[in-house]
Amino acid sequence: MNQKIDRRNLLKSGLMALGGIAVAPHLTAGAFENTPLAMDPESRIYRSPMVREHFLPADFKAPKIIAKLSANENPYGPPMSAQKAVAESVKNGNRYAWKEMYDLIDKIAKKEGVTADHIMMGPGSSDLLEKVALVTFMKGGNIVSADPCYMSLVSVAKSVGATWKPVPCTADWSHDLKAMEAAIDKDTKLVYVCNPNNPTGAITKGQDLLDFCSRVSEKVPVFVDEAYIELAVGADTQSMVSLLAQKKNVIIARTFSKIMGMAGIRVGYIAAQPEFLEGINKITRGGMGISYTSIFAASASLDDKDFQGNTRKLNHEAKTYLYENLDKMGYKYIPSYTNFVLFPISIPGKELLGKMTAKGIAVRSFDIQSKPWCRVSIGTMDEMKAFVGALSALS
Ligand SMILES: Cc1ncc(COP(=O)(O)O)c(C=O)c1O
């Protein structure tokens, strides 16, 4: 049966409290609140030719969630330095924060080695992914990206009329850069790359991506989403931001939601050529959605190298523990350079969701190439122990 469900219904349903799919509403639908979710005939959310996502029925009765491992959040944040900055700055919240935002932009520009006119801030990188999609695809065109990939930019592009050209990942789940380049045609307006990628956690090698971006951006802008790059411990990859100094038409998105532990405080930015940002600014108000307190939290967390280092270390330790236990149970996971791990499971995805949720563990479940998979975020060590316990009870 083709179940009709829209974003509003999902949000209203108890699934929000479960930390189930509705916890990441930006992942659940097209651009607009009332856009019905694309469902397939088996009542799965249609994400892409390769990916369908399971969700639980709205009336599913679940206990209190003890481990929310569904939205790739940082369980250690927000850093104390950012909490203090919010508390201290809130008294000035009657003012717009233009000057303060430009101070933050100066700081970020210095960190990225570019001038301030290369940076645009937003309330989370989602806002900027969506703005870029809206402005770029207002008059149609097509977007090339990997499949699977993070769907926020692609979904909005499709919603305003773009055609999506999905290019299957390679056997090791990295981007098939050759095939992506071949997919570009005269109507291509943007190439989207997510590195490390979500939902796979896989990386595309730095030098290969650098060569690709350098060459391809001569023809069409390349948007590289680096939401997880600071967590890519030991990865053979790097930020593409260095290409801006070479005048390449690349757009790099970064977020404070992952390594900085501020998903609910909402800060992100893009680094791009000033002319590209001018195009976004002509139609939207870059930076307008970010709050006074968030700006101070972002500035404090940028300086808080201890918090970032600790997150990286604890994420690595908890992921290593998960790997060891998945190995013991015979699960074959995709090596992850992020704070989540994707692995194939041997029971149907909806059954996994139901059984894990009934034990208070929120995860995500997809059918990829028609086989069931679980995506689990890396929580604290205690949360990973709870997850491993619940998973081992399944087999
Ligand atoms: C790849 C990727 N990009 C962007 C985002 C959006 O992050 P935010 O809007 O919180 O900055 C996410 C969130 O999970 C993500 O996984």
Side-chain angles (χ1 to χ4, degrees):
M1 194 188 72
N2 197 347
Q3 193 174 341
K4 245 205 158 338
I5 185 161
D6 63 22
R7 174 189 294 225
R8 189 185 292 266
N9 282 342
L10 265 180
L11 288 168
K12 274 168 75 182
S13 77
L15 287 171
M16 172 103 105
L18 289 182
I21 184 156
V23 186
H26 56 296
L27 295 176
T28 64
F32 308 108
E33 188 180 276
N34 288 323
T35 306
L37 290 161
M39 302 289 284
D40 78 354
E42 290 173 51
S43 295
R44 300 170 300 184
I45 297 170
Y46 179 97
R47 295 269 175 231
S48 75
M50 222 188 250
V51 182
R52 312 293 147 89
E53 180 159 10
H54 293 283
F55 62 92
L56 291 172
D59 58 357
F60 187 88
K61 297 266 177 294
K64 189 172 175 289
I65 290 300
I66 54 164
K68 184 174 169 232
L69 304 173
S70 52
N72 305 340
E73 295 149 337
N74 178 337
Y76 312 107
M80 196 46 74
S81 54
Q83 293 186 39
K84 279 193 190 137
V86 169
E88 280 162 21
S89 60
V90 70
K91 60 180 180 293
N92 296 321
N94 58 322
R95 302 290 174 195
Y96 289 112
W98 293 119
K99 180 197 170 295
E100 293 74 11
M101 192 177 71
Y102 285 113
D103 290 344
L104 176 62
I105 285 178
D106 285 343
K107 192 170 191 172
I108 289 172
K110 201 164 163 210
K111 167 180 165 274
E112 300 294 6
V114 294
T115 52
D117 54 354
H118 288 80
I119 305 293
M120 180 182 278
M121 302 297 305
S125 59
S126 297
D127 179 68
L128 298 160
L129 269 76
E130 292 181 359
K131 281 191 165 109
V132 168
L134 278 172
V135 174
T136 308
F137 294 101
M138 271 184 326
K139 295 188 183 133
N142 70 56
I143 176 165
V144 172
S145 86
D147 182 14
C149 80
Y150 186 67
M151 290 300 291
S152 194
L153 195 156
V154 172
S155 298
V156 176
K158 279 166 61 188
S159 296
V160 295
T163 306
W164 179 32
K165 296 181 93 176
V167 176
C169 288
T170 61
D172 69 357
W173 299 100
S174 62
H175 285 70
D176 189 338
L177 297 174
K178 220 168 159 190
M180 286 176 73
E181 193 166 350
I184 295 166
D185 62 29
K186 64 174 185 11
D187 295 323
T188 305
K189 298 262 178 69
L190 193 77
V191 175
Y192 173 75
V193 173
C194 185
N195 193 44
N197 200 1
N198 182 6
T200 61
I203 51 150
T204 298
K205 282 192 179 148
Q207 191 58 49
D208 296 349
L209 188 55
L210 207 66
D211 294 344
F212 171 86
C213 290
S214 178
R215 202 170 50 246
V216 169
S217 65
E218 295 292 329
K219 296 183 264 185
V220 49
V222 184
F223 190 113
V224 188
D225 186 340
E226 298 183 349
Y228 298 97
I229 201 149
E230 298 101 328
L231 292 164
V233 176
D236 174 12
T237 198
Q238 57 182 289
S239 172
M240 295 298 119
V241 81
S242 61
L243 291 171
L244 289 174
Q246 299 169 33
K247 299 272 175 261
K248 301 287 179 178
N249 198 2
V250 290
I251 305 104
I252 291 96
R254 303 292 284 263
T255 179
F256 286 68
S257 299
K258 310 300 173 184
I259 187 95
M260 310 284 187
M262 304 210 314
I265 295 178
R266 311 304 300 136
V267 186
Y269 63 90
I270 50 176
Q273 296 301 346
E275 310 79 65
F276 185 91
L277 297 182
E278 269 164 36
I280 308 293
N281 263 332
K282 259 190 207 150
I283 295 178
T284 67
R285 299 191 70 183
M288 189 65 183
I290 187 166
S291 75
Y292 197 100
T293 49
S294 300
I295 287 170
F296 283 86
S299 183
S301 70
L302 267 180
D303 294 338
D304 200 337
K305 298 280 181 273
D306 286 351
F307 178 83
Q308 294 164 37
N310 206 35
T311 289
R312 212 175 277 114
K313 175 173 162 285
L314 295 174
N315 182 62
H316 185 67
E317 283 169 10
K319 192 160 59 179
T320 305
Y321 167 83
L322 174 68
Y323 284 168
E324 284 165 6
N325 283 280
L326 290 177
D327 285 339
K328 272 188 216 154
M329 288 185 265
Y331 288 105
K332 300 229 173 316
Y333 47 84
I334 301 176
S336 161
Y337 295 90
T338 62
N339 62 346
F340 57 88
V341 175
L342 185 70
F343 60 97
I345 51 178
S346 48
I347 60 172
K350 209 182 275 284
E351 188 181 331
L352 173 99
L353 275 190
K355 288 188 167 162
M356 297 305 271
T357 309
K359 294 198 162 155
I361 317 272
V363 294
R364 303 283 283 269
S365 179
F366 306 94
D367 287 347
I368 303 179
Q369 290 168 319
S370 305
K371 302 234 166 63
W373 295 69
C374 171
R375 194 197 75 182
V376 58
S377 304
I378 305 298
T380 61
M381 192 60 97
D382 281 349
E383 288 171 332
M384 298 327 287
K385 284 182 181 163
F387 172 77
V388 164
L391 187 71
S392 59
L394 291 183
S395 40

